[in-house]
């Protein structure tokens, strides 16, 4: 698979996963892809915890309400340290977003599926903090995203996307 195929095959998968374990070497490859992402001023503000222990995974899934990814055999939690790159400029969000997209593409390349769960766990009920406690994450890191990893049992739904012409142009912003 080349990078364009992976980019276009990636979908947010919210269905059931097959009961097949994800080998640790695959989780390492996915995390390495995440850590290879660019970061503002190379501050490398993103850290990762892969979860393949069924007991820990069950605790994490139990913290997510309403439940998602309950059948996922593995997951990766994305942590960020909100330090400034220079002066008062913090690029931690951009840093972890780049890392997440790299991981989502690596997940596709390895034949797995995932979904970027951030809104659900960082809403006002702050599920992410409960998950961070379960994983023993220190206070100066925020857990910002949960990525299930596993083999999809169902077809992913194709979302409606705007056309290229509605969102991308050459040389100048188009006039009506
Ligand atoms: C910052 C961010 C937060 C997201 N949070 C959630 C989430 O909490 N729950 C969820 O089901 N999908 C979440 N998604 C996935 C989006 O819903 C999804 O990318 C979008 O609907 C387009 O579908 P696609 O990923 O298949 O292209 C999130 C995506 C991003 C980039």
């Amino acid at each position: 698979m080349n990078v364009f195929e992976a980019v276009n095959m990636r979908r947010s998968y919210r269905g059931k996963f097959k009961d097949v374990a994800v080998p640790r070497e695959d989780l390492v490859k996915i995390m390495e892809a995440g850590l290879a992402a660019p970061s503002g001023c190379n501050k490398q503000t993103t850290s990762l915890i892969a979860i393949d222990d069924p007991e820990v995974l069950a605790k994490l899934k139990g913290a997510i309400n309403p439940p998602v990814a309950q059948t996922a055999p593995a997951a990766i939690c994305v942590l960020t340290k909100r330090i400034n790159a220079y002066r008062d400029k913090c690029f931690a969000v951009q840093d972890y977003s780049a890392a997440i997209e790299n991981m989502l593409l690596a997940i596709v390349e390895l034949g797995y599926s995932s979904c970027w769960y951030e809104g659900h766990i960082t809403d006002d009920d702050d599920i992410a903090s409960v998950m961070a406690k379960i994983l023993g994450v220190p206070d100066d890191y925020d857990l910002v995203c949960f990525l299930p990893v596993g083999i999809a049992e169902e077809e992913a739904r194709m979302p409606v996307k705007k056309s290229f012409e509605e969102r991308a142009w050459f040389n100048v912003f188009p006039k009506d």
Side-chain angles (χ1 to χ4, degrees), residues 4 18 20-21 28 35 37 44 52 56 73 78 94 97-99 105-106 121 163:
F4 293 103
K18 291 189 179 164
V20 179
V28 169
L35 299 180
Q44 302 171 60
D52 59 359
V56 182
V78 180
Q94 293 87 334
S97 299
L105 295 179
I121 64 163
S163 67

Side-chain angles (χ1 to χ4, degrees), residues 21-25 27 49-57 73-76:
V22 180
R24 194 164 270 204
E25 66 201 64
L27 291 170
I49 301 180
I51 301 97
D52 59 359
D53 178 328
E55 267 183 40
V56 182
L57 197 55
I76 295 170

Side-chain angles (χ1 to χ4, degrees), residues 116-133:
W116 180 328
Y117 287 109
E118 177 172 350
H120 186 35
I121 64 163
T122 59
D123 208 350
D124 292 345
D125 50 355
D126 200 12
I127 294 166
S129 291
V130 180
M131 297 170 83
K133 276 215 174 64

Side-chain angles (χ1 to χ4, degrees), residues 13 15-23 26 71-74 107 110-114 148-154:
Y13 180 73
K16 284 194 174 145
F17 290 93
K18 291 189 179 164
D19 187 17
V20 179
V22 180
D26 285 354
T71 54
I107 284 168
L110 294 171
Y112 302 112
S113 294
S114 187
V149 184
I151 301 173
E153 200 170 88
E154 304 158 23

Side-chain angles (χ1 to χ4, degrees), residues 38-40 46 90-99:
S39 66
T46 309
C90 177
F91 295 121
V93 174
Q94 293 87 334
D95 297 348
Y96 77 68
S97 299

